[in-house]
Amino acid sequence: MKIDYQLVGKRIAKIRHEKKLTQENLAEKAGITNNYLSNIERNRSIPSLETLMSICTALSVTPNEILIGTDDTQTNYLTRDICNLIEKCTPYERKIIISIIDILIDNRQ
């Protein structure tokens, strides 16, 4: 699996904004420079594993949330991801998705 560092940077920035942290605040908590964090968020630098873990710790998130966009510490992380995808669908596509889910559930029993 190839890591998309552009998405990693965007996720870090998104979570940082959600937690109302400036780049300076997060960089200080993670023990890195503000310039380096800025470069990570803009995909100009690739963080080491140690740096990535420091950022995760400073943001109080799991590496999965940064690397693949899911927080597997919460039981509803897949539900949230599925809902986000369904929101992008047309009404017709949503009906098809519901039909597929109904078929899967019926075949399970």
Side-chain angles (χ1 to χ4, degrees):
M1 178 172 145
K2 186 172 162 71
I3 296 172
D4 185 338
Y5 288 101
Q6 183 173 7
L7 275 176
V8 167
K10 286 181 180 182
R11 288 181 187 125
I12 290 169
K14 179 179 181 272
I15 294 166
R16 179 176 59 76
H17 287 290
E18 288 171 357
K19 295 186 180 269
K20 298 183 180 10
L21 292 170
T22 64
Q23 282 184 337
E24 188 176 341
N25 298 137
L26 178 56
E28 185 178 331
K29 285 183 167 195
I32 59 176
T33 66
N34 185 31
N35 189 41
Y36 185 39
L37 177 60
S38 176
N39 286 335
I40 292 169
E41 288 185 354
R42 292 181 295 129
N43 193 32
R44 302 222 172 159
S45 294
I46 296 174
S48 67
L49 182 57
E50 182 179 330
T51 298
L52 186 63
M53 293 306 295
S54 294
I55 292 170
C56 288
T57 300
L59 290 171
S60 299
V61 297
T62 65
N64 278 354
E65 198 163 353
I66 298 295
L67 292 171
I68 58 177
T70 59
D71 178 5
D72 59 2
T73 62
Q74 297 182 12
T75 57
N76 66 344
Y77 77 96
L78 284 176
T79 303
R80 183 186 68 229
D81 292 347
I82 291 168
C83 288
N84 288 339
L85 290 171
I86 290 174
E87 286 177 5
K88 297 176 185 176
C89 295
T90 66
Y92 176 73
E93 292 167 335
R94 290 177 186 183
K95 286 181 183 179
I96 292 172
I97 292 168
I98 290 171
S99 297
I100 292 169
I101 291 170
D102 285 340
I103 290 168
L104 288 171
I105 291 171
D106 287 345
N107 286 332
R108 187 177 62 189
Q109 297 170 355

